[in-house]
Amino acid sequence: INPLSEEELSCPVCCDIFRDPVLLSCSHSVCKTCLQTFWETKGSRECPICRRRSSKEHPPCNLVLKNVCEALLESRSQRSSAGSEGLCVLHNEKLKLFCLDDQQPVCLVCQTSKNHRNHKFCPVDEAVTEFKSALEPLQKNLRVLEEAKRDYDQTAAHIKTQAQHTETQIKEEFEKLHQFLRDEEAARIAALKEEEEQKGQMMRRKIEEMNGEISALSDTIRNIEKEMEAEDVLLFTFNYSVLFVSLSELQDPEKTSGALINVGKHLSNLKFRVWENMQEVLQYTPVTLDPNTAHPDLHLSDDLTAVENTKQSSSLPDNPERFDKWWCVLGSEGFNSGIHCWDVQVGDSDYWSLGVITESGPRKGISFLGSVWRLVHSFTPKEKLQRVRVQLDWDRGKVTFTDLLTNTHLHTITHTFTERVLPFFSNYSVHPLRILPVKTSVTVEQHS
């Protein structure tokens, strides 16, 4: 007789081995708990399988089925216990061998069975050792991946911090521009109001004078008209002469030149004039620093024109562009042709270097030194420099360094450049190196 399969011993509702099975009048069996839940949900006493209504509210227990299922569960438990103790679940023998074909531990009896005929075996201890050896590279790779994920997490957090900080700086810079425009607007409106007040006062004074003349002339006319009503010829003759005297003194009102608002003065090229005035508050530096290349000990100014060495490492991602051993930072834009120069205020910094580096050059360790052309300066107070000009002539392959205050040539490096180079800065001092702004001007080109 074939034993029942686990599928045949499974409840059709929960699909697990029967627990406390009950027998319905339709001959179907269901777990007691599953049946009660089904009936409560359905609201009627139906068989979950054939939907036939049950005549009994409390169906009897299927005792035979219950005993079979409990025996199956107990056998399962024993096999699990034997496996956990290193015993074969089939033969209850110690698992001393490892089948290399089936990749599972077996006992000596299994080795001779038809299921493992012509298979290759090795001792379990030897297989465990090999597995451990094979596991080590995986564990190492896992540690590498976990470390990389930590770097990714740090980079993602830094991106968010960078974006927030940069957004704040953008808003601050635009607020300065907005304030400048508000101040310009206020000044120009104030000038307009002042002109309006001056010319308004002038016109009010002229209107008052004109009102006086009109009043006096009206009085004269009324007096003459009143005298003319009388029939005294002598008086009429007298007033007639007075009338001619008044007529001889009459003059046309004087036209007022320049009385209107000088609209052209206030509106002519208004946006250009405001932009022209804006040059007083704007600065342009030919080179700005790239914070993504800066060593963690370096601190850059908000406008990316100054670098100082705090000697306190910041928590920054170790991205490929960043220097990790030397206190260096690069310019944000490179050059692959032409002549370019930038002036650096070295000030009180007592150990610094300036120059250029190839864009593809390494940034880690000290291996980058072969791809950088620089002026290194460690000096005493007697030979202290203040401002140094770095001039790159990419086409002619020259990097020239000049003392700006004395206009003295310091050094020239020659090299044939074949790729883009970036401005290079290194500061070993808490005193900042600062890239100086260049003077800007606005010119208008007239057509000939």
Side-chain angles (χ1 to χ4, degrees), residues 82-83 86-89 93-98 105-108 110 124:
L87 299 178
C88 177
V89 295
E93 296 285 339
K94 285 189 176 181
L95 302 169
K96 293 184 177 181
L97 300 175
F98 186 82
V106 296
C107 68
L108 295 175
C110 290
V124 168

Side-chain angles (χ1 to χ4, degrees), residues 102-116:
D102 293 336
Q103 292 289 301
Q104 65 178 26
V106 296
C107 68
L108 295 175
V109 180
C110 290
Q111 182 185 17
T112 59
S113 68
K114 65 177 182 179
N115 291 333
H116 294 279

Side-chain angles (χ1 to χ4, degrees), residues 127-356:
V128 170
T129 302
E130 290 183 2
F131 277 133
K132 286 183 178 178
S133 299
L135 188 61
E136 286 180 1
L138 297 178
Q139 292 172 332
K140 183 178 180 181
N141 190 51
L142 177 61
R143 290 192 293 270
V144 170
L145 292 176
E146 289 174 342
E147 184 176 351
K149 182 182 180 299
R150 285 193 294 271
D151 291 341
Y152 289 162
D153 291 339
Q154 184 186 19
T155 300
H158 188 64
I159 289 172
K160 188 172 183 180
T161 301
Q162 275 187 313
Q164 292 173 343
H165 182 63
T166 305
E167 180 180 349
T168 299
Q169 289 178 280
I170 290 174
K171 288 181 177 179
E172 289 176 355
E173 290 301 313
F174 270 94
E175 176 55 31
K176 294 176 183 177
L177 295 176
H178 294 159
Q179 187 58 49
F180 173 84
L181 293 175
R182 286 193 290 266
D183 292 343
E184 280 284 318
E185 178 186 13
R188 292 174 184 277
I189 290 178
L192 173 62
K193 294 295 184 183
E194 182 180 1
E195 183 180 356
E196 178 189 17
E197 179 62 23
Q198 291 175 350
K199 294 189 172 178
Q201 286 182 355
M202 179 185 68
M203 294 310 300
R204 286 193 294 273
R205 185 171 60 251
K206 289 184 175 294
I207 290 171
E208 290 177 0
E209 293 175 355
M210 188 64 65
N211 286 336
E213 293 181 12
I214 291 173
S215 178
L217 184 56
S218 297
D219 290 343
T220 301
I221 292 173
R222 280 196 300 271
N223 291 334
I224 292 175
E225 288 176 342
K226 190 180 294 183
E227 294 297 334
M228 288 177 62
E229 294 176 357
E231 296 182 355
D232 190 334
V233 177
L234 293 176
L235 186 58
F236 175 76
T237 304
F238 170 76
N239 286 336
Y240 187 76
S241 61
V242 172
L243 175 60
F244 272 95
V245 171
S246 299
L247 290 173
S248 64
E249 294 176 352
L250 288 179
Q251 294 181 354
D252 291 333
E254 180 182 354
K255 298 292 185 180
T256 303
S257 178
L260 301 180
I261 295 292
N262 189 350
V263 177
K265 182 183 72 174
H266 298 288
L267 293 182
S268 179
N269 294 313
L270 176 60
K271 290 188 284 293
F272 177 82
R273 298 304 175 195
V274 172
W275 179 63
E276 194 175 34
N277 291 342
M278 193 178 289
Q279 305 308 306
E280 301 173 4
V281 298
L282 297 182
Q283 285 189 342
Y284 174 79
T285 50
V287 169
T288 56
L289 304 175
D290 181 0
N292 294 335
T293 64
H295 185 281
D297 288 355
L298 298 180
H299 176 263
L300 308 187
S301 61
D302 285 342
D303 61 359
L304 305 178
T305 62
V307 53
E308 61 185 17
N309 194 332
T310 62
K311 294 183 172 64
Q312 295 179 350
S313 184
S314 304
S315 179
L316 297 171
D318 186 24
N319 49 299
E321 301 86 357
R322 191 179 307 281
F323 289 93
D324 62 347
K325 297 296 182 186
W326 288 57
W327 290 316
C328 307
V329 63
L330 304 182
S332 58
E333 294 184 10
F335 311 107
N336 58 1
S337 64
I339 298 175
H340 310 272
C341 72
W342 51 96
D343 301 337
V344 182
Q345 178 83 36
V346 296
D348 294 325
S349 179
D350 52 6
Y351 192 8
W352 48 263
S353 59
L354 305 172
V356 296

Side-chain angles (χ1 to χ4, degrees), residues 10-16 30-31 34-35 38 48-49:
S10 299
C11 171
V13 176
C14 65
C15 299
D16 201 355
V30 186
C31 290
C34 294
L35 182 64
F38 180 80
I49 303 170

Side-chain angles (χ1 to χ4, degrees), residues 32-52:
K32 182 179 180 180
T33 304
C34 294
L35 182 64
Q36 294 298 326
T37 303
F38 180 80
W39 282 358
E40 290 173 3
T41 303
K42 194 70 174 176
S44 62
R45 295 198 299 269
E46 296 179 359
C47 171
I49 303 170
C50 66
R51 302 302 190 210
R52 182 176 175 180

